[in-house]
Structure formats: C-alpha cells, structure tokens
C-alpha cells in the first residue's frame, strides 16, 4: 500500500515528532519509487487531509525535505520529487564535461564572461607567476541536461594558454582545449570544499530554491610537470551535487 492510498500512517503515541514521521513516510515513497523523480507530490492541503495533521506541520516537513534536496519547488506550480544527486568521486582529476557525460547527462556551458586581468599578489604567488602578469579569467554557468548545476570561475596564466578567450568556450571543454591546443597535461589538483549560502546572483543563475546551500570549491590544478595552471572558484548546487571520497 502506498503513500497516496493509506489512511494516516502516523503513530501519535510515538516520541518521534509528527513532522519527522511525515518526512519519513514521504521519504519512503521516494525511495520505493512510488514517487518518481520530477513527479509532482500532492498539495499541502491534500497531504494535510491525508495525514490528518495541520498544513503548518506539512509545510515544515516539506521545507526540510527541500533543504535536504529530496524535493524541489517550481514557482506557482507545486512541489516535485528531486532527481538523484550527481556524484563526483574525488579520487580522479576530471573535468565537468567528463563528470556529467559519465552519468549519461548532456553537459553544456553558458559563458558569463571571459577577460584578461593582472594577477593579484596572492594569486600570482600561488600560481608561481610574477605579480601583475596576465591572467585569463573565464566565468561559466555549467549545466547538465539544460539544468544549471554550477558556476565556475577559472583563472589561468595567459602565458600558458595565449589566445584562450578567442576559442568558443561555450562549445568546448576547457580541459579539452588546454590539452589539445596548448599541450597541457593536467595531472593533479588541490581542492577545498565548504558549504555556504549562495549570493543573490548565484541563487538566480542556478535557479535555486530558497534555503539550499551551495558547495563552494576552490581548486588549484597542476600539470604533470608540476606547473600550477589553473585556480578555479566554483559554486555547485548543494541539493544536486554530492562529492564522494574513498578512505583507506
Ligand atoms: C571541473 C573543475 C574545474 C574545471 C572544469 C573544466 C571541479 C570542482 N572543477 O568542473 O576546475 O575548470 O572541470 O571543465 O571539479 P570542462 O573541461 O568541461 O570545461
């Protein structure tokens, strides 16, 4: 028997709070496949009647599940079941194009900006280039099957990839270009990851529901010869992305 045809499945004697029980029942319906990804779930009013609890309780449960990335809202259209998170293993150095393609999704990019700028002191030190020398900065919105997933701002010493911004950066993989056009063999990276609230601009570009965090990732990427060739700042949708590590 499923969520949609049970009489209230809640245990009012239990010490588990009612809204947690509501979450568990909806979670169960998502896990069992009764509620499929991108399917609209019943309205707050319907759920409140179904569970025999107030709309406030339902709202609290749904808001938490939206924050957890299990559900998402579409303005004026209701609440939907989210797709499974995209997983990125952290053992191998991969590009966005490879990561998304490996999951059977179609990667694409929208170019938000590409320019040259003098390297600020700290970045110049980290990239081992003279302060003030030219950096290429490429800012892209990255999408999977047309859905915005991340904003990435890459900085690269211009001397390593002269003329990079003349290429079509919406159609080509950055790592593909670095390899094919500039002979750069990327081999390792140092990365830090932290959860943060998105800026207003990030929230709009990533079309994120309120209350969802971003994963802010900073990465220094090096070539096989140990030349640091990229500093990238990214903001990934926290409700759509999961980073996995195997520990030994
Ligand atoms: C990944 C990298 C990013 C790199 C991009 C190149 C992380 C956190 N970031 O998204 O540093 O610039 O791939 O992707 O993994 P592309 O070759 O598809 O343009």
């Amino acid at each position: 028997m499923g969520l949609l045809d049970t009489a209230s499945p809640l245990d009012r004697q239990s010490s588990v709070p009612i809204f947690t029980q509501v979450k568990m029942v909806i979670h169960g319906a998502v896990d069992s496949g009764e509620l499929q990804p991108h399917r609209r779930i019943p309205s707050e009013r319907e759920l409140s009647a179904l569970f025999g609890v107030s709309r406030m309780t339902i709202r609290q449960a749904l808001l938490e599940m939206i924050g957890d990335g299990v559900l998402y809202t579409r303005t004026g259209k209701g609440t939907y079941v989210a797709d499974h998170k995209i997983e990125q293993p952290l053992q191998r150095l991969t590009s966005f194009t490879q990561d998304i393609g490996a999951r059977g999704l179609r990667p694409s990019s929208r170019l938000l900006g590409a320019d040259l700028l003098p390297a600020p002191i700290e970045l110049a030190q980290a990239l081992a280039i003279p302060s003030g020398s030219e950096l290429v900065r490429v800012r892209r919105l990255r999408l999977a099957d047309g859905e915005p997933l991340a904003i990435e701002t890459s900085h690269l010493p211009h001397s390593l990839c002269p003329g990079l911004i003349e290429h079509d950066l919406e159609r080509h993989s950055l790592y593909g270009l670095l390899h094919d056009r500039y002979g750069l063999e990327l081999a390792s990276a140092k990365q830090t990851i932290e959860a943060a609230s998105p800026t207003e601009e990030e929230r709009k570009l990533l079309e994120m529901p309120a209350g969802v965090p971003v994963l802010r990732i900073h990465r220094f990427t090096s070539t096989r010869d140990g030349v640091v060739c990229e500093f990238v700042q990214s903001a990934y949708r926290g409700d759509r992305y999961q980073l996995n590590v195997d520990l030994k």
Side-chain angles (χ1 to χ4, degrees):
M1 211 164 27
L3 164 71
L4 307 178
D5 45 30
T6 16
S8 181
L10 307 180
D11 177 0
R12 288 171 194 279
Q13 310 309 319
S14 163
S15 58
V16 179
I18 292 292
F19 89 93
T20 307
Q21 293 189 41
V22 170
K23 277 175 67 176
M24 285 160 62
V25 174
I26 300 176
H27 235 300
V30 171
D31 288 344
S32 72
E34 183 194 346
L35 290 174
Q36 290 284 326
H38 305 299
R39 170 154 169 217
R40 188 175 176 280
I41 66 161
S43 67
E44 273 178 25
R45 193 165 44 76
E46 288 163 331
L47 287 170
S48 134
L50 190 73
F51 286 105
V53 301
S54 73
R55 283 181 66 167
M56 275 262 288
T57 303
I58 297 292
R59 190 165 308 148
Q60 186 182 6
L62 297 187
L63 275 177
E64 288 207 2
M65 294 185 79
I66 291 167
D68 294 342
V70 179
L71 303 175
Y72 67 96
T73 49
R74 294 167 72 181
T75 322
K77 290 196 177 147
T79 306
Y80 292 76
V81 179
D83 221 334
H84 306 294
K85 286 192 176 183
I86 293 169
E87 296 176 21
Q88 187 192 347
L90 289 176
Q91 292 80 358
R92 285 194 316 118
L93 178 62
T94 47
S95 71
F96 184 88
T97 305
Q98 290 170 322
D99 278 347
I100 299 305
R103 272 152 201 86
L105 304 173
R106 189 178 45 83
S108 63
S109 304
R110 201 171 97 210
L111 190 64
L112 301 173
D115 57 0
L116 297 177
L117 73 159
I121 295 177
E122 275 171 29
L123 203 45
Q125 272 171 359
L127 292 166
I129 53 173
S131 145
S133 55
E134 255 179 355
L135 282 183
V136 183
R137 177 171 56 188
V138 179
R139 189 157 186 256
R140 292 175 297 168
L141 179 68
R142 314 300 310 261
L143 306 97
D145 273 357
E147 192 195 337
L149 198 62
I151 302 166
E152 291 185 339
T153 310
S154 295
H155 304 75
L156 306 103
H158 193 211
S159 55
L160 293 178
C161 49
L164 180 73
I165 56 178
E166 323 280 274
H167 292 281
D168 185 344
L169 296 163
E170 293 207 331
R171 297 209 18 225
H172 291 119
S173 147
L174 176 64
Y175 284 5
L177 283 172
L178 293 180
H179 181 269
D180 299 346
R181 299 297 170 104
Y182 300 98
L184 296 171
E185 296 264 1
L186 305 186
S188 61
K190 277 204 190 320
Q191 194 161 287
T192 59
I193 304 160
E194 62 184 348
S197 301
T199 63
E200 198 45 40
E201 191 210 12
E202 286 169 341
R203 215 175 59 71
K204 280 203 188 115
L205 284 170
L206 293 170
E207 298 172 18
M208 287 171 70
V212 173
V214 285
L215 293 173
R216 235 178 252 301
I217 304 181
H218 285 188
R219 180 195 265 202
F220 284 100
T221 316
S222 303
T223 65
R224 204 166 289 290
D225 318 322
V227 176
V228 188
C229 62
E230 180 193 41
F231 169 62
V232 60
Q233 294 163 303
S234 324
Y236 278 76
R237 280 183 63 148
D239 57 341
R240 299 288 291 113
Y241 220 76
Q242 191 177 56
L243 299 153
N244 293 336
V245 195
D246 272 346
L247 300 174
K248 292 208 176 80

